[in-house]
Amino acid sequence: MKYAIILLAILGFSFAPQQYPNADTIIKNIDDNMYSNSLISTSKMTIYGKRNNRTITSKSYTQGSTKSFTEYLAPAREKGTKMLKLEDKLWIYSPSSDRTIQISGHMLKQSLMGSDLSYEDMMDERELTDIYNAKVTGSEVIDGRKAWVIALTAKVTDATYAKQKVWVDQERYVPLRQDMIAKSGKLLKRVTLSNVQKISGRWFPKKMNYKDMLKQGKGTDFEFVSIQFNPKIPVHIFSKASLKK
């Protein structure tokens, strides 16, 4: 009888469902690390082509999820190009033509400067908790780090991607990989995040590789050179007048 009880106990532990942490808590921790009320950063974007690579540097200002301004600094071909986002509107100024155009509708899905990022990718700066419902589906190891696997399903109609599968560092609560998925279930884009550092009391991945899964190639590396969380940004930065200054 004693051995039967021991056997049942072993079997009970073997078949007991694994307990996962609350998914909403996990994505709230991600938001606390990845997003801020304001942001000033300089970055470089390396676009890997079939024959050669291009690296573009820029400086960006962001206020919440509704305002952002970016000026491209190098190379000479892109220098002086500026982008302004206000709410759901995006304007681009080209110094070569001295013209400002508005990007809207299906044009937002187009490639940003030939990269694997679209204008939509750059524009959607909302927190995950505002866009998705979350569920923990498992635990895996990514690049030697234990990660929770999170399934995200859009709860708003204007989400850039209907679904995401996200691998989240169990200790630092930053994404290590994000699969962007269409409503049909087709994998559209993969983001691999690395060079995680502690900045201003938060964990943040300074390097991200964006890979359009519908195209060949190595994707596009996006790397932060410098970053400031929650700085004060002059109001005039987020105006159409700033595009031609």
Side-chain angles (χ1 to χ4, degrees), residues 4 25 30 54 60 79 121 139 163:
T25 301
I30 296 172
R54 292 189 298 133
S60 297
K79 185 177 181 180
D121 292 328
S139 175
K163 302 176 185 178

Side-chain angles (χ1 to χ4, degrees), residues 26-41:
I26 292 174
I27 62 171
K28 174 64 169 62
N29 288 335
I30 296 172
D31 286 340
D32 289 344
N33 275 323
M34 300 291 290
Y35 301 95
S36 60
N37 293 326
S38 62
L39 187 75
I40 298 177
S41 65

